[in-house]
Amino acid sequence: MKTYNIASLAGDGIGPEVMREAIKVLRATEKRFGFKLVITDAPVGWAGIDFAKKALPDITLDICKRSDAILFGSVGLPDRDATIPKEERPERAALLRLRKEFGLFANLRPVKLPKLLAHACPLARERQGDGIDILVVRELTGGMYFGQPKQTEDLGGGIQRAIDTMVYTTPEIERIAHVAFRAAQLRRKKLTSIDKANVLENGILWRETVARIGKEYPDIALDHMFVDNAAMQLVLKPTQFDVLLCENMFGDILSDEAAALGGSLGMLPSASLGSTSGAGTFGFYEPAGGTAPDIAGKDLANPIAQILSAALMLRHSFGLNDAAAAIESAVEHAIEAGNRTGDIFSPAEPNARRVGTRVMGEAIAAVV
Ligand code: NAD
């Protein structure tokens, strides 16, 4: 029987509650589809600091290295111990460290607004068509956030000058373009590449490179859009988009804008992928939201983002498309059956009932 090794890093706040439900759902797919998941829990974030005085304990990193994928909850509790410096706090010492360690260069953020949750979307219903369904593919390790030089200089006379450098090489653009084209092949086969080719050298190279790679994918309809127009089109007519391909900073901004259309952070999964090695792609899968300290430990969190992150893991790291699709369809069923955590509940919906984290997770696992 095919076996996959998963490092389960639940982290802080709502992390452990939503992870517990995601694992329940994974166990249900295991039974139905006949594969074996070896899931190893490891502490991270404040849980790591409590365990080994480190946000990413050595044992946790070791477990991650021996796994085929990481299923991550979230880390960070803003009110904890202000004396711990920011480099040692979980957001940097665990999250950024893991991204770097595993060379995670591709971030995938699907945003899906089911028609039944139209009330949770800030856009007028007539702009939502039959439901919004977009995948933002963001380059994660290049561009302005990492380019050198990156510094603030003193020019004298009380004047300072800050420099950030936007840099991309063709191989960096090529590898993220391949990720986006392959993702589009699993969806509606449309790819919109975002750039600022009218003013940035990077934009010209981005557009030329994506267009060249696009010739290898004749089944995908490719178009190009300037980032400022894309920001506008996302709120005017989001249904025109299938896959959006963005460099790092544009993707950072547009993926949050797209996320707002999804109704709740509690519904949004994400995948960060490294290079393909052997049969699978190493990946890091986590909800788009954080630790939600305001609702942690109260059975109020929506586990769907974590559960859909687990589905992305099955699809992108293990190639288990049927099992991933079964989870996604079980989420839709649970919503159609009226289950709503507080973040997606509206008293105006006649058949909806408010449920907790546990009941939502169980409803989804039962359908799988
Ligand atoms: P947050 O995403 O934790 O919460 C923002 C709002 O969204 C809150 O009202 C919260 O209740 C709600 N929310 C988030 N997830 C939800 C869910 N699953 N179900 C229902 N409601 C949900 O953002 P924040 O409050 O700005 O950050 C809290 C902590 O999380 C900070 O320490 C921050 O650094 C950290 N954080 C971590 C990650 C990560 O681990 N990847 C990401 C974002 C924030």
Side-chain angles (χ1 to χ4, degrees):
M1 189 186 285
K2 194 88 182 115
T3 299
Y4 305 93
N5 293 304
I6 301 166
S8 154
L9 276 51
D12 308 314
I14 61 169
E17 296 166 68
V18 292
M19 183 67 84
R20 181 192 65 216
E21 300 311 315
I23 290 176
K24 252 180 225 170
V25 173
L26 283 174
R27 291 291 177 216
T29 58
E30 201 179 21
K31 275 195 202 122
R32 176 169 158 197
F33 291 92
F35 48 76
K36 187 165 165 51
L37 303 174
V38 178
I39 303 175
T40 312
D41 294 332
V44 72
W46 286 101
I49 294 174
D50 292 339
F51 173 76
K53 298 196 166 49
K54 261 169 122 174
L56 184 65
D58 297 344
I59 182 162
T60 299
L61 185 57
D62 197 46
I63 289 169
C64 292
K65 283 182 181 162
R66 284 189 279 114
S67 299
D68 302 311
I70 302 172
L71 187 59
F72 193 86
S74 39
V75 292
L77 295 170
D79 293 339
R80 275 206 53 179
D81 198 351
T83 62
I84 300 219
K86 51 184 186 295
E87 308 75 51
E88 290 171 30
R89 297 181 81 81
E91 290 86 339
R92 288 199 192 188
L95 257 185
L96 294 187
R97 172 86 202 282
L98 281 167
R99 272 190 198 163
K100 204 168 161 211
E101 182 73 37
F102 292 99
L104 304 170
F105 69 91
N107 184 236
L108 274 59
R109 274 232 222 156
V111 174
K112 194 164 184 181
L113 178 78
K115 220 176 169 186
L116 278 171
L117 297 184
H119 62 269
C121 176
L123 293 188
R125 273 172 205 245
E126 58 269 25
R127 295 199 191 277
Q128 299 176 22
D130 286 331
I132 295 167
D133 187 0
I134 300 171
L135 173 68
V136 181
V137 176
R138 168 187 169 194
E139 202 289 329
L140 211 51
T141 54
M144 186 111 83
Y145 293 178
F146 297 97
Q148 294 296 333
K150 187 177 195 65
Q151 65 202 40
T152 304
E153 308 168 333
D154 233 322
L155 298 182
I159 298 173
Q160 289 181 303
R161 179 167 67 174
I163 301 173
D164 295 283
T165 310
M166 192 170 189
V167 196
Y168 271 105
T169 60
T170 39
E172 284 174 313
I173 304 170
E174 285 165 0
R175 66 178 182 174
I176 190 74
H178 282 295
V179 170
F181 279 109
R182 286 198 296 263
Q185 284 178 321
L186 295 173
R187 295 173 48 97
R188 301 192 305 279
K189 300 191 165 43
K190 184 171 179 225
L191 178 66
T192 306
S193 175
I194 307 301
D195 62 47
K196 191 73 183 159
N198 47 350
V199 283
L200 296 178
E201 289 298 312
N202 269 273
I204 297 169
L205 186 65
W206 185 273
R207 190 173 285 218
E208 286 172 359
T209 308
V210 173
R212 174 165 49 77
I213 298 298
K215 296 203 173 79
E216 296 175 36
Y217 298 88
D219 52 332
I220 304 298
L222 167 68
D223 64 352
H224 304 269
M225 194 179 277
F226 295 138
V227 62
D228 42 348
N229 186 25
M232 196 168 69
Q233 293 301 326
L234 267 174
V235 289
L236 291 178
K237 200 178 175 219
T239 50
Q240 71 187 283
F241 295 119
D242 179 10
V243 178
L244 283 176
L245 167 62
C246 312
E247 66 85 39
N248 200 347
M249 183 174 64
F250 297 163
D252 191 6
I253 298 168
L254 292 187
S255 64
D256 268 22
E257 187 187 355
L261 307 180
S264 165
L265 271 177
M267 299 284 296
L268 297 172
S270 85
S272 300
L273 307 179
S275 304
T276 302
S277 61
T281 300
F282 189 88
F284 176 92
Y285 300 86
E286 61 172 337
T291 58
D294 52 332
I295 56 168
K298 298 178 183 161
D299 197 40
L300 291 174
N302 187 342
I304 289 179
Q306 189 77 52
I307 290 168
L308 291 176
S309 300
L312 290 179
M313 175 180 72
L314 298 185
R315 174 173 297 122
H316 293 285
S317 280
F318 308 154
L320 299 168
N321 279 322
D322 291 349
I327 294 179
E328 287 157 354
S329 128
V331 167
E332 279 168 23
H333 265 86
I335 289 170
E336 274 161 26
N339 297 293
R340 302 281 187 277
T341 41
D343 56 315
I344 52 173
F345 178 77
S346 159
E349 275 190 286
N351 298 323
R353 70 181 169 283
R354 213 176 172 126
V355 300
T357 311
R358 196 178 284 273
V359 170
M360 182 64 105
E362 277 162 9
I364 295 165
V367 179
V368 170

